[in-house]
CSV table of all heavy atoms in Angstrom, one decimal:
chain,number,residue,atom,x,y,z
A,1,GLU,N,-5.9,5.0,4.7
A,1,GLU,CA,-5.2,6.3,4.6
A,1,GLU,C,-6.2,7.5,4.8
A,1,GLU,O,-5.8,8.5,5.4
A,1,GLU,CB,-4.6,6.4,3.2
A,1,GLU,CG,-3.5,5.4,2.9
A,1,GLU,CD,-2.9,5.5,1.5
A,1,GLU,OE1,-3.3,6.5,0.8
A,1,GLU,OE2,-2.1,4.7,1.2
A,2,GLU,N,-7.4,7.4,4.3
A,2,GLU,CA,-8.3,8.5,4.4
A,2,GLU,C,-8.8,8.7,5.8
A,2,GLU,O,-8.9,9.9,6.3
A,2,GLU,CB,-9.6,8.2,3.5
A,2,GLU,CG,-9.2,8.4,2.0
A,2,GLU,CD,-8.8,9.8,1.7
A,2,GLU,OE1,-9.5,10.7,1.7
A,2,GLU,OE2,-7.5,10.0,1.3
A,3,THR,N,-9.1,7.6,6.6
A,3,THR,CA,-9.6,7.8,7.9
A,3,THR,C,-8.5,8.2,8.8
A,3,THR,O,-8.6,9.1,9.7
A,3,THR,CB,-10.1,6.5,8.4
A,3,THR,OG1,-9.2,5.5,8.2
A,3,THR,CG2,-11.5,6.2,7.8
A,4,CYS,N,-7.2,7.8,8.5
A,4,CYS,CA,-6.1,8.3,9.2
A,4,CYS,C,-5.8,9.7,9.1
A,4,CYS,O,-5.6,10.6,10.1
A,4,CYS,CB,-4.8,7.5,8.8
A,4,CYS,SG,-3.3,8.0,9.5
A,5,ARG,N,-5.9,10.2,7.8
A,5,ARG,CA,-5.7,11.7,7.5
A,5,ARG,C,-6.7,12.5,8.2
A,5,ARG,O,-6.4,13.6,8.8
A,5,ARG,CB,-5.8,11.9,6.0
A,5,ARG,CG,-5.8,13.3,5.5
A,5,ARG,CD,-5.8,13.4,4.0
A,5,ARG,NE,-7.1,13.0,3.5
A,5,ARG,CZ,-8.2,13.7,3.4
A,5,ARG,NH1,-8.1,15.0,3.8
A,5,ARG,NH2,-9.3,13.3,2.8
A,6,LEU,N,-8.0,12.1,8.2
A,6,LEU,CA,-9.0,13.0,8.9
A,6,LEU,C,-9.0,12.9,10.4
A,6,LEU,O,-9.4,13.8,11.1
A,6,LEU,CB,-10.4,12.6,8.3
A,6,LEU,CG,-10.6,12.9,6.7
A,6,LEU,CD1,-11.7,12.3,6.1
A,6,LEU,CD2,-10.6,14.5,6.6
A,7,LEU,N,-8.7,11.7,10.9
A,7,LEU,CA,-8.6,11.6,12.4
A,7,LEU,C,-7.4,12.5,12.9
A,7,LEU,O,-7.5,13.1,14.0
A,7,LEU,CB,-8.3,10.2,12.8
A,7,LEU,CG,-9.5,9.2,12.8
A,7,LEU,CD1,-9.1,7.8,12.9
A,7,LEU,CD2,-10.4,9.6,14.0
A,8,ARG,N,-6.3,12.6,12.1
A,8,ARG,CA,-5.2,13.4,12.5
A,8,ARG,C,-5.5,14.8,12.7
A,8,ARG,O,-4.9,15.6,13.5
A,8,ARG,CB,-4.0,13.2,11.7
A,8,ARG,CG,-3.3,11.8,11.7
A,8,ARG,CD,-2.2,11.6,10.8
A,8,ARG,NE,-1.1,12.6,11.1
A,8,ARG,CZ,-0.1,12.8,10.3
A,8,ARG,NH1,0.1,12.0,9.3
A,8,ARG,NH2,0.9,13.7,10.6
A,9,GLU,N,-6.5,15.3,11.9
A,9,GLU,CA,-6.9,16.7,11.9
A,9,GLU,C,-7.6,17.1,13.3
A,9,GLU,O,-7.6,18.2,13.7
A,9,GLU,CB,-7.9,17.0,10.8
A,9,GLU,CG,-7.3,17.0,9.5
A,9,GLU,CD,-8.3,17.3,8.3
A,9,GLU,OE1,-9.4,17.6,8.7
A,9,GLU,OE2,-7.9,17.3,7.2
A,10,LEU,N,-8.0,16.0,14.0
A,10,LEU,CA,-8.7,16.3,15.4
A,10,LEU,C,-7.7,16.8,16.3
A,10,LEU,O,-8.1,17.5,17.2
A,10,LEU,CB,-9.4,15.0,15.9
A,10,LEU,CG,-10.5,14.5,15.0
A,10,LEU,CD1,-11.0,13.2,15.6
A,10,LEU,CD2,-11.7,15.5,15.0
A,11,ASN,N,-6.5,16.3,16.3
A,11,ASN,CA,-5.5,16.6,17.3
A,11,ASN,C,-4.1,16.6,16.7
A,11,ASN,O,-3.5,15.5,16.4
A,11,ASN,CB,-5.6,15.7,18.5
A,11,ASN,CG,-4.9,16.1,19.7
A,11,ASN,OD1,-3.9,16.9,19.6
A,11,ASN,ND2,-5.2,15.6,20.9
A,12,PRO,N,-3.5,17.7,16.4
A,12,PRO,CA,-2.1,17.8,15.8
A,12,PRO,C,-1.1,17.2,16.6
A,12,PRO,O,0.1,16.9,16.1
A,12,PRO,CB,-1.9,19.3,15.6
A,12,PRO,CG,-2.8,20.0,16.5
A,12,PRO,CD,-4.0,19.1,16.7
A,13,ASP,N,-1.3,17.0,17.9
A,13,ASP,CA,-0.3,16.4,18.8
A,13,ASP,C,-0.2,14.9,18.7
A,13,ASP,O,0.7,14.2,19.2
A,13,ASP,CB,-0.7,16.7,20.3
A,13,ASP,CG,-0.5,18.2,20.6
A,13,ASP,OD1,0.2,18.8,19.9
A,13,ASP,OD2,-1.2,18.6,21.6
A,14,VAL,N,-1.2,14.3,18.0
A,14,VAL,CA,-1.2,12.8,17.8
A,14,VAL,C,-0.7,12.4,16.5
A,14,VAL,O,-1.0,12.9,15.4
A,14,VAL,CB,-2.7,12.3,17.9
A,14,VAL,CG1,-2.6,10.8,17.8
A,14,VAL,CG2,-3.2,12.7,19.3
A,15,GLU,N,0.3,11.5,16.5
A,15,GLU,CA,0.9,10.9,15.2
A,15,GLU,C,0.1,9.7,14.8
A,15,GLU,O,-0.3,8.9,15.6
A,15,GLU,CB,2.3,10.5,15.5
A,15,GLU,CG,3.1,10.3,14.3
A,15,GLU,CD,3.0,8.9,13.7
A,15,GLU,OE1,2.8,7.9,14.6
A,15,GLU,OE2,3.1,8.6,12.5
A,16,GLY,N,-0.2,9.6,13.5
A,16,GLY,CA,-1.0,8.5,12.9
A,16,GLY,C,-0.3,8.0,11.7
A,16,GLY,O,0.3,8.7,10.9
A,17,SER,N,-0.5,6.7,11.4
A,17,SER,CA,0.0,6.1,10.2
A,17,SER,C,-1.1,5.0,9.8
A,17,SER,O,-2.0,4.6,10.6
A,17,SER,CB,1.3,5.4,10.4
A,17,SER,OG,1.3,4.4,11.4
A,18,SER,N,-0.9,4.5,8.5
A,18,SER,CA,-1.9,3.5,8.1
A,18,SER,C,-1.3,2.5,7.2
A,18,SER,O,-0.2,2.7,6.6
A,18,SER,CB,-3.0,4.3,7.3
A,18,SER,OG,-2.5,5.0,6.2
A,19,HIS,N,-1.9,1.3,7.0
A,19,HIS,CA,-1.5,0.3,6.1
A,19,HIS,C,-2.7,-0.3,5.4
A,19,HIS,O,-3.7,-0.7,6.1
A,19,HIS,CB,-0.8,-0.9,7.0
A,19,HIS,CG,0.4,-0.5,7.6
A,19,HIS,ND1,1.7,-0.6,7.1
A,19,HIS,CD2,0.7,0.1,8.9
A,19,HIS,CE1,2.6,-0.1,7.9
A,19,HIS,NE2,2.0,0.3,9.0
A,20,ALA,N,-2.6,-0.4,4.1
A,20,ALA,CA,-3.8,-0.8,3.3
A,20,ALA,C,-3.5,-2.3,2.9
A,20,ALA,O,-3.8,-2.7,1.8
A,20,ALA,CB,-3.9,0.0,2.1
A,21,LYS,N,-3.0,-3.1,3.9
A,21,LYS,CA,-2.8,-4.5,3.7
A,21,LYS,C,-3.5,-5.3,4.8
A,21,LYS,O,-3.8,-4.8,5.8
A,21,LYS,CB,-1.3,-4.9,3.7
A,21,LYS,CG,-0.5,-4.2,2.7
A,21,LYS,CD,1.0,-4.7,2.9
A,21,LYS,CE,1.9,-4.1,1.9
A,21,LYS,NZ,3.4,-4.5,2.2
A,22,PRO,N,-3.8,-6.5,4.5
A,22,PRO,CA,-4.4,-7.4,5.6
A,22,PRO,C,-3.4,-7.6,6.7
A,22,PRO,O,-2.2,-7.6,6.5
A,22,PRO,CB,-4.7,-8.8,4.9
A,22,PRO,CG,-4.8,-8.4,3.5
A,22,PRO,CD,-3.8,-7.3,3.2
A,23,ILE,N,-3.9,-7.7,7.9
A,23,ILE,CA,-3.0,-7.8,9.1
A,23,ILE,C,-2.1,-8.9,9.1
A,23,ILE,O,-0.9,-8.9,9.4
A,23,ILE,CB,-3.8,-7.7,10.4
A,23,ILE,CG1,-2.9,-7.7,11.6
A,23,ILE,CG2,-4.7,-8.9,10.5
A,23,ILE,CD1,-2.0,-6.4,11.7
A,24,ALA,N,-2.5,-10.1,8.5
A,24,ALA,CA,-1.7,-11.3,8.5
A,24,ALA,C,-0.5,-11.1,7.5
A,24,ALA,O,0.6,-11.5,7.9
A,24,ALA,CB,-2.6,-12.5,8.0
A,25,GLU,N,-0.7,-10.3,6.5
A,25,GLU,CA,0.4,-10.1,5.6
A,25,GLU,C,1.4,-9.1,6.2
A,25,GLU,O,2.6,-9.3,6.0
A,25,GLU,CB,-0.1,-9.4,4.3
A,25,GLU,CG,0.9,-9.2,3.2
A,25,GLU,CD,0.3,-8.7,1.9
A,25,GLU,OE1,-0.9,-8.9,1.7
A,25,GLU,OE2,0.9,-7.9,1.2
A,26,ILE,N,0.9,-8.1,7.0
A,26,ILE,CA,1.8,-7.2,7.6
A,26,ILE,C,2.7,-7.9,8.7
A,26,ILE,O,3.9,-7.7,8.8
A,26,ILE,CB,1.0,-6.0,8.3
A,26,ILE,CG1,0.4,-5.2,7.2
A,26,ILE,CG2,1.9,-5.1,9.1
A,26,ILE,CD1,-0.6,-4.2,7.8
A,27,VAL,N,2.1,-8.7,9.5
A,27,VAL,CA,2.8,-9.4,10.5
A,27,VAL,C,3.8,-10.4,9.9
A,27,VAL,O,4.9,-10.6,10.5
A,27,VAL,CB,1.8,-10.2,11.5
A,27,VAL,CG1,2.6,-11.1,12.5
A,27,VAL,CG2,0.9,-9.1,12.2
A,28,LYS,N,3.5,-11.0,8.8
A,28,LYS,CA,4.4,-11.9,8.1
A,28,LYS,C,5.6,-11.2,7.7
A,28,LYS,O,6.7,-11.7,7.8
A,28,LYS,CB,3.7,-12.6,7.0
A,28,LYS,CG,4.5,-13.7,6.3
A,28,LYS,CD,3.7,-14.4,5.2
A,28,LYS,CE,4.6,-15.5,4.5
A,28,LYS,NZ,3.9,-16.2,3.5
A,29,GLU,N,5.5,-10.0,7.2
A,29,GLU,CA,6.6,-9.2,6.7
A,29,GLU,C,7.4,-8.6,7.9
A,29,GLU,O,8.6,-8.4,7.8
A,29,GLU,CB,6.1,-8.1,5.8
A,29,GLU,CG,5.5,-8.5,4.5
A,29,GLU,CD,4.9,-7.4,3.7
A,29,GLU,OE1,4.9,-6.3,4.2
A,29,GLU,OE2,4.4,-7.7,2.6
A,30,ASP,N,6.7,-8.2,9.0
A,30,ASP,CA,7.2,-7.5,10.1
A,30,ASP,C,6.8,-8.2,11.4
A,30,ASP,O,5.8,-7.8,12.0
A,30,ASP,CB,6.9,-6.1,10.1
A,30,ASP,CG,7.5,-5.3,11.3
A,30,ASP,OD1,8.3,-5.9,12.0
A,30,ASP,OD2,7.2,-4.1,11.4
A,31,PRO,N,7.5,-9.2,11.9
A,31,PRO,CA,7.0,-10.0,13.1
A,31,PRO,C,6.9,-9.2,14.4
A,31,PRO,O,6.1,-9.5,15.3
A,31,PRO,CB,8.1,-11.1,13.3
A,31,PRO,CG,8.7,-11.2,11.9
A,31,PRO,CD,8.6,-9.9,11.3
A,32,ASP,N,7.6,-8.1,14.5
A,32,ASP,CA,7.6,-7.2,15.7
A,32,ASP,C,6.5,-6.1,15.6
A,32,ASP,O,6.4,-5.2,16.4
A,32,ASP,CB,8.9,-6.5,15.9
A,32,ASP,CG,10.0,-7.6,16.2
A,32,ASP,OD1,9.7,-8.6,16.8
A,32,ASP,OD2,11.1,-7.4,15.8
A,33,PHE,N,5.7,-6.1,14.5
A,33,PHE,CA,4.7,-5.0,14.3
A,33,PHE,C,3.8,-4.9,15.4
A,33,PHE,O,3.6,-3.7,15.9
A,33,PHE,CB,3.9,-5.3,13.0
A,33,PHE,CG,2.9,-4.3,12.7
A,33,PHE,CD1,3.2,-3.1,12.1
A,33,PHE,CD2,1.5,-4.6,12.9
A,33,PHE,CE1,2.2,-2.1,11.9
A,33,PHE,CE2,0.6,-3.7,12.6
A,33,PHE,CZ,0.9,-2.5,12.1
A,34,ILE,N,3.2,-5.9,16.0
A,34,ILE,CA,2.2,-5.7,17.1
A,34,ILE,C,2.8,-5.3,18.3
A,34,ILE,O,2.3,-4.5,19.1
A,34,ILE,CB,1.4,-7.1,17.3
A,34,ILE,CG1,0.6,-7.4,16.0
A,34,ILE,CG2,0.6,-7.1,18.5
A,34,ILE,CD1,0.0,-8.8,16.0
A,35,SER,N,4.1,-5.8,18.6
A,35,SER,CA,4.7,-5.4,19.9
A,35,SER,C,5.1,-4.0,20.0
A,35,SER,O,5.4,-3.6,21.1
A,35,SER,CB,6.0,-6.3,20.0
A,35,SER,OG,7.0,-6.0,19.0
A,36,ARG,N,5.0,-3.2,19.0
A,36,ARG,CA,5.3,-1.8,19.1
A,36,ARG,C,4.1,-1.0,19.5
A,36,ARG,O,4.1,0.3,19.5
A,36,ARG,CB,5.8,-1.3,17.7
A,36,ARG,CG,7.2,-1.8,17.4
A,36,ARG,CD,7.9,-1.1,16.2
A,36,ARG,NE,7.2,-1.3,14.9
A,36,ARG,CZ,7.5,-2.3,14.1
A,36,ARG,NH1,8.5,-3.1,14.4
A,36,ARG,NH2,6.9,-2.4,12.9
A,37,HIS,N,3.0,-1.6,19.9
A,37,HIS,CA,1.8,-1.0,20.3
A,37,HIS,C,1.5,-1.3,21.8
A,37,HIS,O,1.9,-2.3,22.3
A,37,HIS,CB,0.6,-1.3,19.4
A,37,HIS,CG,0.9,-0.9,17.9
A,37,HIS,ND1,1.6,-1.7,17.1
A,37,HIS,CD2,0.5,0.2,17.2
A,37,HIS,CE1,1.6,-1.2,15.9
A,37,HIS,NE2,1.0,0.0,16.0
A,38,GLN,N,0.7,-0.5,22.4
A,38,GLN,CA,0.3,-0.7,23.9
A,38,GLN,C,-1.1,-1.2,23.9
A,38,GLN,O,-1.5,-1.6,25.0
A,38,GLN,CB,0.5,0.6,24.7
A,38,GLN,CG,1.9,0.9,25.0
A,38,GLN,CD,2.8,1.3,23.8
A,38,GLN,OE1,2.4,2.2,23.1
A,38,GLN,NE2,3.9,0.6,23.6
């Protein structure tokens, strides 16, 4: 959350979000999570 907040200050045109969970747990809850990125 903290690195996301401060990175967003560099460029207001860029949207940022964060997750404070292990990646395996996130993908288990949301199988399409990775596919939403390039």
Side-chain angles (χ1 to χ4, degrees):
E1 292 179 9
E2 288 299 292
T3 52
C4 175
R5 176 177 63 84
L6 293 167
L7 279 169
R8 288 179 62 186
E9 290 183 2
L10 295 176
N11 192 338
D13 295 335
V14 178
E15 192 275 328
S17 62
S18 62
H19 295 271
K21 297 180 181 179
I23 185 63
E25 186 177 332
I26 294 172
V27 172
K28 186 177 180 180
E29 296 173 356
D30 182 4
D32 296 327
F33 178 75
I34 294 173
S35 64
R36 292 195 288 271
H37 300 83
Q38 284 67 52

